[in-house]
Amino acid sequence: MTDPLVDPVAGSDELAFEGALRPTSLAEFVGQPKVRGQLEVLLRAATIQERTPDHILLAGPPGLGKTTLAMIIGAETGRPIRFSSGPAIQHAGDLAAVLSALVPGEVLFVDEIHRMARSAEEMLYLAMEDFKIDIMVGKGAGAASIPLELAPFTLVGATTRSGMLPAPLRDRFGFTAHLEHYAAADLERVLSRSARLMDVALEPAALGELARRSRGTPRIANRLLRRVRDWLLVHEGSSDLDGVRAALELYDVDEAGLDRIDRAVLEAIAHRFGGGPVGLSTLAATVGEEADTIEAVVEPFLVREGLIGRTPRGRIATPAGLRHAGVVTQDATLDGV
Ligand SMILES: Nc1ncnc2c1ncn2[C@@H]1O[C@H](COP(=O)(O)OP(=O)(O)OP(=O)(O)O)[C@@H](O)[C@H]1O
């Protein structure tokens, strides 16, 4: 498992805490200006015409605010919201139960929608398009399909893997919001808001340092903030910037936001494999991690930071990656770094 401190996926004990920090309106939602602007128009137009907003797909890596935005969509349009998730919908019947219970205008949030069963997906196509479904009763020759009218609803699907959604499902969303990792300045605003809500006073330099090390992800920023709050409580009277640095050092998060596993991967490529290329399974065996974890969590971050690259022959360390791993490269010598 990856280090829970920089895992963009929420731990089960974290959800209640996260709830308290969630922005409840588009105006309060920090960053993602493009998506905010797009949603604002879409929701306002639906309100003006007094109709249910189009179905919306929220796509992007974990921890960037998909659940938060779904709740905001409900709040901004004054509609109730019902929560479900792809893994909970394993049969068409599971979906029929959810859909038939919807009240008119309700927002149905389906998290991890790419993990829904195929049989349910087909039922969802008709539900999204015509607000009706066909329920099959009986088996074999006696089987019959009974049409059922549904209340008009807005489906808000969230996915970290939009490429895994079948095209017919993707096409039935009126709008897809692509969430991007946050710039450090936006994360600083997220942190400043969270610090205020948690009653932790942090100076701007400390907020900036935390933002820089939070991997562009509000969930990680809020989690690191909690660790810093603890550190400051225990070490009463310390400066906040020292607190940020000491707490993150204690929890193994380095200057660039890399944790123990990120560094192990980078160092294996740089030192054990001479900068690469090296295949994913060899890399996983070398650092003693699941290949899936490396591919889903570690690699995207290291690639985004320009520390490693993917080539058809395997993963390589970039000059910046080699430098971070302490390998002196020729261009590092030339730059005098
Ligand atoms: N733009 C934002 N402004 C302020 N806080 C945010 C923002 N986006 C996310 N957060 C905070 O980050 C945490 C994680 O957000 P959220 O649960 O919405 O992410 P998610 O994309 O749905 O993640 P997952 O895909 O793992 O469910 C929440 O505590 C939320 O308050």
PDB file of all heavy atoms in Angstrom, residues 257-283:
ATOM      1  N   GLY A 257       7.277  17.159  -2.292  1.00  0.00           N
ATOM      2  CA  GLY A 257       6.016  16.452  -2.052  1.00  0.00           C
ATOM      3  C   GLY A 257       6.119  14.950  -2.286  1.00  0.00           C
ATOM      4  O   GLY A 257       5.124  14.237  -2.250  1.00  0.00           O
ATOM      5  N   LEU A 258       7.342  14.442  -2.538  1.00  0.00           N
ATOM      6  CA  LEU A 258       7.499  12.995  -2.759  1.00  0.00           C
ATOM      7  C   LEU A 258       7.507  12.281  -1.412  1.00  0.00           C
ATOM      8  O   LEU A 258       8.108  12.771  -0.450  1.00  0.00           O
ATOM      9  CB  LEU A 258       8.834  12.685  -3.460  1.00  0.00           C
ATOM     10  CG  LEU A 258       8.878  12.719  -4.987  1.00  0.00           C
ATOM     11  CD1 LEU A 258       8.551  14.101  -5.515  1.00  0.00           C
ATOM     12  CD2 LEU A 258      10.240  12.273  -5.496  1.00  0.00           C
ATOM     13  N   ASP A 259       6.861  11.122  -1.355  1.00  0.00           N
ATOM     14  CA  ASP A 259       6.918  10.338  -0.127  1.00  0.00           C
ATOM     15  C   ASP A 259       7.912   9.197  -0.329  1.00  0.00           C
ATOM     16  O   ASP A 259       8.591   9.106  -1.344  1.00  0.00           O
ATOM     17  CB  ASP A 259       5.519   9.854   0.278  1.00  0.00           C
ATOM     18  CG  ASP A 259       5.039   8.690  -0.558  1.00  0.00           C
ATOM     19  OD1 ASP A 259       5.536   8.534  -1.687  1.00  0.00           O
ATOM     20  OD2 ASP A 259       4.168   7.937  -0.100  1.00  0.00           O
ATOM     21  N   ARG A 260       7.946   8.306   0.658  1.00  0.00           N
ATOM     22  CA  ARG A 260       8.914   7.206   0.669  1.00  0.00           C
ATOM     23  C   ARG A 260       8.818   6.363  -0.614  1.00  0.00           C
ATOM     24  O   ARG A 260       9.832   6.039  -1.224  1.00  0.00           O
ATOM     25  CB  ARG A 260       8.559   6.352   1.905  1.00  0.00           C
ATOM     26  CG  ARG A 260       9.534   5.357   2.355  1.00  0.00           C
ATOM     27  CD  ARG A 260       8.997   4.733   3.645  1.00  0.00           C
ATOM     28  NE  ARG A 260       7.567   4.389   3.573  1.00  0.00           N
ATOM     29  CZ  ARG A 260       7.083   3.312   2.961  1.00  0.00           C
ATOM     30  NH1 ARG A 260       7.879   2.473   2.378  1.00  0.00           N
ATOM     31  NH2 ARG A 260       5.773   3.076   2.944  1.00  0.00           N
ATOM     32  N   ILE A 261       7.604   6.043  -1.031  1.00  0.00           N
ATOM     33  CA  ILE A 261       7.473   5.151  -2.195  1.00  0.00           C
ATOM     34  C   ILE A 261       7.835   5.870  -3.491  1.00  0.00           C
ATOM     35  O   ILE A 261       8.485   5.309  -4.371  1.00  0.00           O
ATOM     36  CB  ILE A 261       6.051   4.570  -2.274  1.00  0.00           C
ATOM     37  CG1 ILE A 261       5.767   3.777  -1.012  1.00  0.00           C
ATOM     38  CG2 ILE A 261       5.897   3.660  -3.490  1.00  0.00           C
ATOM     39  CD1 ILE A 261       4.312   3.543  -0.785  1.00  0.00           C
ATOM     40  N   ASP A 262       7.424   7.145  -3.593  1.00  0.00           N
ATOM     41  CA  ASP A 262       7.813   7.910  -4.790  1.00  0.00           C
ATOM     42  C   ASP A 262       9.329   7.907  -4.916  1.00  0.00           C
ATOM     43  O   ASP A 262       9.881   7.706  -5.991  1.00  0.00           O
ATOM     44  CB  ASP A 262       7.367   9.376  -4.682  1.00  0.00           C
ATOM     45  CG  ASP A 262       5.880   9.532  -4.479  1.00  0.00           C
ATOM     46  OD1 ASP A 262       5.127   8.811  -5.135  1.00  0.00           O
ATOM     47  OD2 ASP A 262       5.482  10.377  -3.662  1.00  0.00           O
ATOM     48  N   ARG A 263       9.986   8.158  -3.776  1.00  0.00           N
ATOM     49  CA  ARG A 263      11.455   8.241  -3.834  1.00  0.00           C
ATOM     50  C   ARG A 263      12.053   6.879  -4.141  1.00  0.00           C
ATOM     51  O   ARG A 263      13.003   6.771  -4.908  1.00  0.00           O
ATOM     52  CB  ARG A 263      12.011   8.780  -2.506  1.00  0.00           C
ATOM     53  CG  ARG A 263      11.839  10.294  -2.367  1.00  0.00           C
ATOM     54  CD  ARG A 263      12.717  10.853  -1.271  1.00  0.00           C
ATOM     55  NE  ARG A 263      12.431  10.247   0.014  1.00  0.00           N
ATOM     56  CZ  ARG A 263      11.437  10.635   0.827  1.00  0.00           C
ATOM     57  NH1 ARG A 263      10.661  11.647   0.486  1.00  0.00           N
ATOM     58  NH2 ARG A 263      11.230  10.025   1.975  1.00  0.00           N
ATOM     59  N   ALA A 264      11.462   5.816  -3.568  1.00  0.00           N
ATOM     60  CA  ALA A 264      11.993   4.466  -3.831  1.00  0.00           C
ATOM     61  C   ALA A 264      11.912   4.168  -5.330  1.00  0.00           C
ATOM     62  O   ALA A 264      12.849   3.632  -5.919  1.00  0.00           O
ATOM     63  CB  ALA A 264      11.205   3.435  -3.031  1.00  0.00           C
ATOM     64  N   VAL A 265      10.785   4.547  -5.959  1.00  0.00           N
ATOM     65  CA  VAL A 265      10.610   4.285  -7.402  1.00  0.00           C
ATOM     66  C   VAL A 265      11.628   5.096  -8.192  1.00  0.00           C
ATOM     67  O   VAL A 265      12.336   4.566  -9.056  1.00  0.00           O
ATOM     68  CB  VAL A 265       9.160   4.628  -7.843  1.00  0.00           C
ATOM     69  CG1 VAL A 265       9.026   4.661  -9.357  1.00  0.00           C
ATOM     70  CG2 VAL A 265       8.176   3.632  -7.244  1.00  0.00           C
ATOM     71  N   LEU A 266      11.721   6.380  -7.867  1.00  0.00           N
ATOM     72  CA  LEU A 266      12.635   7.249  -8.604  1.00  0.00           C
ATOM     73  C   LEU A 266      14.089   6.774  -8.436  1.00  0.00           C
ATOM     74  O   LEU A 266      14.855   6.692  -9.405  1.00  0.00           O
ATOM     75  CB  LEU A 266      12.477   8.691  -8.101  1.00  0.00           C
ATOM     76  CG  LEU A 266      13.293   9.752  -8.813  1.00  0.00           C
ATOM     77  CD1 LEU A 266      12.956   9.792 -10.298  1.00  0.00           C
ATOM     78  CD2 LEU A 266      13.028  11.135  -8.198  1.00  0.00           C
ATOM     79  N   GLU A 267      14.429   6.431  -7.197  1.00  0.00           N
ATOM     80  CA  GLU A 267      15.815   6.015  -6.942  1.00  0.00           C
ATOM     81  C   GLU A 267      16.126   4.676  -7.610  1.00  0.00           C
ATOM     82  O   GLU A 267      17.230   4.468  -8.108  1.00  0.00           O
ATOM     83  CB  GLU A 267      16.091   5.966  -5.433  1.00  0.00           C
ATOM     84  CG  GLU A 267      16.311   7.385  -4.903  1.00  0.00           C
ATOM     85  CD  GLU A 267      16.233   7.521  -3.395  1.00  0.00           C
ATOM     86  OE1 GLU A 267      16.264   6.485  -2.697  1.00  0.00           O
ATOM     87  OE2 GLU A 267      16.116   8.680  -2.928  1.00  0.00           O
ATOM     88  N   ALA A 268      15.134   3.777  -7.661  1.00  0.00           N
ATOM     89  CA  ALA A 268      15.370   2.489  -8.337  1.00  0.00           C
ATOM     90  C   ALA A 268      15.660   2.739  -9.822  1.00  0.00           C
ATOM     91  O   ALA A 268      16.611   2.186 -10.376  1.00  0.00           O
ATOM     92  CB  ALA A 268      14.157   1.573  -8.173  1.00  0.00           C
ATOM     93  N   ILE A 269      14.858   3.600 -10.462  1.00  0.00           N
ATOM     94  CA  ILE A 269      15.093   3.868 -11.892  1.00  0.00           C
ATOM     95  C   ILE A 269      16.471   4.512 -12.065  1.00  0.00           C
ATOM     96  O   ILE A 269      17.260   4.121 -12.927  1.00  0.00           O
ATOM     97  CB  ILE A 269      14.007   4.791 -12.487  1.00  0.00           C
ATOM     98  CG1 ILE A 269      12.612   4.185 -12.308  1.00  0.00           C
ATOM     99  CG2 ILE A 269      14.267   5.039 -13.978  1.00  0.00           C
ATOM    100  CD1 ILE A 269      11.458   5.083 -12.760  1.00  0.00           C
ATOM    101  N   ALA A 270      16.752   5.502 -11.193  1.00  0.00           N
ATOM    102  CA  ALA A 270      17.982   6.278 -11.357  1.00  0.00           C
ATOM    103  C   ALA A 270      19.230   5.454 -11.043  1.00  0.00           C
ATOM    104  O   ALA A 270      20.198   5.488 -11.800  1.00  0.00           O
ATOM    105  CB  ALA A 270      17.926   7.523 -10.465  1.00  0.00           C
ATOM    106  N   HIS A 271      19.192   4.690  -9.937  1.00  0.00           N
ATOM    107  CA  HIS A 271      20.420   4.015  -9.498  1.00  0.00           C
ATOM    108  C   HIS A 271      20.490   2.558  -9.971  1.00  0.00           C
ATOM    109  O   HIS A 271      21.446   2.164 -10.621  1.00  0.00           O
ATOM    110  CB  HIS A 271      20.533   4.061  -7.970  1.00  0.00           C
ATOM    111  CG  HIS A 271      20.654   5.469  -7.438  1.00  0.00           C
ATOM    112  ND1 HIS A 271      21.773   6.241  -7.610  1.00  0.00           N
ATOM    113  CD2 HIS A 271      19.773   6.252  -6.760  1.00  0.00           C
ATOM    114  CE1 HIS A 271      21.589   7.436  -7.053  1.00  0.00           C
ATOM    115  NE2 HIS A 271      20.369   7.461  -6.534  1.00  0.00           N
ATOM    116  N   ARG A 272      19.434   1.776  -9.654  1.00  0.00           N
ATOM    117  CA  ARG A 272      19.499   0.340  -9.978  1.00  0.00           C
ATOM    118  C   ARG A 272      19.470   0.100 -11.476  1.00  0.00           C
ATOM    119  O   ARG A 272      20.087  -0.834 -11.974  1.00  0.00           O
ATOM    120  CB  ARG A 272      18.296  -0.403  -9.354  1.00  0.00           C
ATOM    121  CG  ARG A 272      18.340  -0.528  -7.868  1.00  0.00           C
ATOM    122  CD  ARG A 272      19.295  -1.619  -7.408  1.00  0.00           C
ATOM    123  NE  ARG A 272      18.887  -2.967  -7.775  1.00  0.00           N
ATOM    124  CZ  ARG A 272      18.091  -3.732  -7.048  1.00  0.00           C
ATOM    125  NH1 ARG A 272      17.612  -3.280  -5.929  1.00  0.00           N
ATOM    126  NH2 ARG A 272      17.786  -4.963  -7.429  1.00  0.00           N
ATOM    127  N   PHE A 273      18.714   0.929 -12.213  1.00  0.00           N
ATOM    128  CA  PHE A 273      18.557   0.670 -13.649  1.00  0.00           C
ATOM    129  C   PHE A 273      19.219   1.749 -14.500  1.00  0.00           C
ATOM    130  O   PHE A 273      18.847   1.958 -15.652  1.00  0.00           O
ATOM    131  CB  PHE A 273      17.062   0.502 -14.001  1.00  0.00           C
ATOM    132  CG  PHE A 273      16.432  -0.625 -13.239  1.00  0.00           C
ATOM    133  CD1 PHE A 273      15.649  -0.378 -12.120  1.00  0.00           C
ATOM    134  CD2 PHE A 273      16.663  -1.952 -13.594  1.00  0.00           C
ATOM    135  CE1 PHE A 273      15.103  -1.414 -11.375  1.00  0.00           C
ATOM    136  CE2 PHE A 273      16.120  -3.000 -12.868  1.00  0.00           C
ATOM    137  CZ  PHE A 273      15.333  -2.733 -11.747  1.00  0.00           C
ATOM    138  N   GLY A 274      20.174   2.448 -13.942  1.00  0.00           N
ATOM    139  CA  GLY A 274      20.990   3.405 -14.701  1.00  0.00           C
ATOM    140  C   GLY A 274      20.168   4.468 -15.413  1.00  0.00           C
ATOM    141  O   GLY A 274      20.523   4.908 -16.504  1.00  0.00           O
ATOM    142  N   GLY A 275      19.014   4.867 -14.827  1.00  0.00           N
ATOM    143  CA  GLY A 275      18.172   5.896 -15.450  1.00  0.00           C
ATOM    144  C   GLY A 275      17.075   5.302 -16.325  1.00  0.00           C
ATOM    145  O   GLY A 275      16.240   6.014 -16.865  1.00  0.00           O
ATOM    146  N   GLY A 276      17.040   3.983 -16.502  1.00  0.00           N
ATOM    147  CA  GLY A 276      15.999   3.319 -17.300  1.00  0.00           C
ATOM    148  C   GLY A 276      16.432   3.124 -18.733  1.00  0.00           C
ATOM    149  O   GLY A 276      17.575   3.451 -19.075  1.00  0.00           O
ATOM    150  N   PRO A 277      15.560   2.593 -19.583  1.00  0.00           N
ATOM    151  CA  PRO A 277      14.167   2.220 -19.290  1.00  0.00           C
ATOM    152  C   PRO A 277      14.050   0.925 -18.477  1.00  0.00           C
ATOM    153  O   PRO A 277      14.883   0.049 -18.592  1.00  0.00           O
ATOM    154  CB  PRO A 277      13.560   2.027 -20.690  1.00  0.00           C
ATOM    155  CG  PRO A 277      14.699   1.708 -21.587  1.00  0.00           C
ATOM    156  CD  PRO A 277      15.910   2.366 -21.011  1.00  0.00           C
ATOM    157  N   VAL A 278      12.973   0.891 -17.684  1.00  0.00           N
ATOM    158  CA  VAL A 278      12.671  -0.320 -16.908  1.00  0.00           C
ATOM    159  C   VAL A 278      11.160  -0.557 -16.945  1.00  0.00           C
ATOM    160  O   VAL A 278      10.375   0.388 -16.906  1.00  0.00           O
ATOM    161  CB  VAL A 278      13.216  -0.199 -15.455  1.00  0.00           C
ATOM    162  CG1 VAL A 278      12.752   1.077 -14.793  1.00  0.00           C
ATOM    163  CG2 VAL A 278      12.815  -1.400 -14.607  1.00  0.00           C
ATOM    164  N   GLY A 279      10.776  -1.823 -17.054  1.00  0.00           N
ATOM    165  CA  GLY A 279       9.351  -2.178 -17.144  1.00  0.00           C
ATOM    166  C   GLY A 279       8.664  -2.057 -15.787  1.00  0.00           C
ATOM    167  O   GLY A 279       9.319  -2.141 -14.738  1.00  0.00           O
ATOM    168  N   LEU A 280       7.337  -1.893 -15.829  1.00  0.00           N
ATOM    169  CA  LEU A 280       6.556  -1.674 -14.605  1.00  0.00           C
ATOM    170  C   LEU A 280       6.678  -2.838 -13.619  1.00  0.00           C
ATOM    171  O   LEU A 280       6.876  -2.637 -12.425  1.00  0.00           O
ATOM    172  CB  LEU A 280       5.084  -1.445 -14.990  1.00  0.00           C
ATOM    173  CG  LEU A 280       4.109  -1.226 -13.850  1.00  0.00           C
ATOM    174  CD1 LEU A 280       4.464   0.031 -13.073  1.00  0.00           C
ATOM    175  CD2 LEU A 280       2.674  -1.139 -14.356  1.00  0.00           C
ATOM    176  N   SER A 281       6.578  -4.091 -14.125  1.00  0.00           N
ATOM    177  CA  SER A 281       6.575  -5.219 -13.183  1.00  0.00           C
ATOM    178  C   SER A 281       7.946  -5.376 -12.522  1.00  0.00           C
ATOM    179  O   SER A 281       8.024  -5.691 -11.324  1.00  0.00           O
ATOM    180  CB  SER A 281       6.130  -6.507 -13.870  1.00  0.00           C
ATOM    181  OG  SER A 281       6.827  -6.647 -15.068  1.00  0.00           O
ATOM    182  N   THR A 282       9.015  -5.115 -13.270  1.00  0.00           N
ATOM    183  CA  THR A 282      10.359  -5.205 -12.677  1.00  0.00           C
ATOM    184  C   THR A 282      10.498  -4.133 -11.593  1.00  0.00           C
ATOM    185  O   THR A 282      10.994  -4.380 -10.493  1.00  0.00           O
ATOM    186  CB  THR A 282      11.441  -4.955 -13.762  1.00  0.00           C
ATOM    187  OG1 THR A 282      11.125  -5.758 -14.886  1.00  0.00           O
ATOM    188  CG2 THR A 282      12.826  -5.243 -13.269  1.00  0.00           C
ATOM    189  N   LEU A 283      10.007  -2.952 -11.923  1.00  0.00           N
ATOM    190  CA  LEU A 283      10.087  -1.832 -10.992  1.00  0.00           C
ATOM    191  C   LEU A 283       9.308  -2.160  -9.715  1.00  0.00           C
ATOM    192  O   LEU A 283       9.785  -1.943  -8.593  1.00  0.00           O
ATOM    193  CB  LEU A 283       9.488  -0.604 -11.693  1.00  0.00           C
ATOM    194  CG  LEU A 283       9.768   0.753 -11.109  1.00  0.00           C
ATOM    195  CD1 LEU A 283      11.253   0.988 -10.937  1.00  0.00           C
ATOM    196  CD2 LEU A 283       9.170   1.827 -12.034  1.00  0.00           C
TER     197      LEU A 283
END
